[in-house]
Amino acid sequence: MNRDTLFHLLTEEQRQHFEEQGYLVVENALSEDTVASLTDAIDRLHEKVIESGKTTPNKPWGWANFLGEDDAFLDLLDCETTFPKIWGIMGWNIFLYHAHLHIKPPSLDTEPGAGWLEWHQDSARMNVEIKTRPRPRLSMKIGYFLTDISEPGRGNFYIIPGSHLSDERPQALSEVGRNPREGISNQVPDGAIPVCVKPGTAVFFDRRLWHSRSPNHSEMTRKVLFYGYAYRWIRPKDNMTVEHLYERIDPIRRQLLGAAVRNDGRFAPTDDDVPLRTWLIENLGEQAVAAMD
Ligand SMILES: O=C(O)CCC(=O)C(=O)O
């Protein structure tokens, strides 16, 4: 892992903001060149899928199993400007349990009912089957925004700041804003905000934060990558075809792509299971991991 990561450690102010609000915005997390490479990689994949007939250019398209398709995607696993904030919050026994990319073309004439998703917390049944209150965090995601969504109406990611500690669905609705016009006016729940950010911004969020996607009424296509990190004893969320990458990536990336010496090592890891821990000791000292142990 790149030692420049040490210039981007989680600050106490960032920790406090994340703990209290359930999200954190880091501007310029990706350089213009990185945004361009990731956008090219996404466009190439999209083109391939269009050619295969599985989607069309003007339809929203999302895909989860993309990590092995381009090294630009792999480089985000331990991105120097963002990854230290993940282990700063979650500790070292973590991996990438889920990643998805999303393309949202303009839908200026969106039919009522299209475009809004149910407001949700991530991880579905986890929110039903865990009975303690408030439910635990267990995972968090980074959204890397590659398009300029600095104004609302561009398919912005919507969040309700501070809602991660509330187990109740916002308002008494199972769905919010199915009609995009109403969604934009009065059906957005109290306290909800569109995340308005420039390309290259990383938005971290606690999986419990109530969030939603929204319709894109602009003329640009919104492109975003989501990387979700969880404890190693949680299962991957989607098919992630990554084992063939193990031989050409470094040990920390192998950990992040789910490698384990033995299954129990996900619960009671040895040093071989968690090279991230060794790296932290070597670069930050024993006290850095003592605080996480
Ligand atoms: O695409 C978006 O803006 C929302 C993504 C989302 O809901 C999720 O990652 O769980």
Side-chain angles (χ1 to χ4, degrees), residues 100 102 120 122 141 155-157 205 211-213 222 226:
H100 60 113
H102 200 257
H120 63 283
D122 281 340
K141 265 188 194 157
N156 306 64
F157 176 52
F205 61 102
H211 59 278
S212 176
R213 60 182 64 152
R222 186 199 80 149
F226 289 98

Side-chain angles (χ1 to χ4, degrees), residues 83-213:
F83 186 51
K85 309 203 190 292
I86 295 285
W87 51 256
I89 291 167
M90 297 189 66
W92 43 260
N93 194 30
I94 54 174
F95 82 124
L96 191 87
Y97 85 109
H98 176 41
H100 60 113
L101 63 80
H102 200 257
I103 286 191
K104 187 182 285 246
S107 50
L108 302 172
D109 56 347
T110 314
E111 293 294 316
W116 283 89
L117 281 191
E118 206 177 35
W119 281 82
H120 63 283
Q121 296 177 301
D122 281 340
S123 304
R125 291 293 297 172
M126 207 180 254
N127 299 306
V128 179
E129 285 156 0
I130 293 178
K131 301 297 183 196
T132 51
R133 298 285 182 262
R135 291 187 278 267
R137 178 186 297 137
L138 299 177
S139 71
M140 60 186 283
K141 265 188 194 157
I142 308 175
Y144 292 102
F145 291 90
L146 306 178
T147 329
D148 184 351
I149 53 155
S150 55
E151 289 175 24
R154 297 184 174 182
N156 306 64
F157 176 52
Y158 267 69
I159 58 173
I160 305 180
S163 62
H164 57 306
L165 299 178
S166 165
D167 295 324
E168 303 314 315
R169 205 180 278 282
Q171 303 172 344
L173 299 171
S174 62
E175 291 164 345
V176 179
R178 277 280 175 184
N179 177 330
R181 281 177 294 273
E182 288 170 2
I184 282 168
S185 56
N186 58 9
Q187 281 214 6
V188 173
D190 288 347
I193 56 166
V195 173
C196 293
V197 293
K198 294 276 190 199
T201 303
V203 179
F204 297 71
F205 61 102
D206 185 312
R207 72 157 194 93
R208 301 167 297 176
L209 190 73
W210 289 91
H211 59 278
S212 176
R213 60 182 64 152

Side-chain angles (χ1 to χ4, degrees), residues 267-279:
F267 296 85
T270 60
D271 286 350
D272 288 342
D273 282 300
V274 282
L276 173 59
R277 183 174 184 277
T278 308
W279 190 94

Side-chain angles (χ1 to χ4, degrees), residues 38 41-42 45 66-67 70-77 225 227:
L38 290 165
I42 291 179
L45 277 181
F66 63 86
L67 289 171
D70 197 293
D71 283 0
F73 297 135
L74 281 183
D75 289 342
L76 285 190
L77 275 175
L225 287 159
Y227 280 52

Side-chain angles (χ1 to χ4, degrees), residues 48-69:
K48 248 188 357 195
V49 181
I50 290 169
E51 276 166 23
S52 76
K54 290 193 184 126
T55 189
T56 55
N58 51 359
K59 266 199 189 154
W61 178 66
W63 195 29
N65 198 1
F66 63 86
L67 289 171
E69 298 286 341

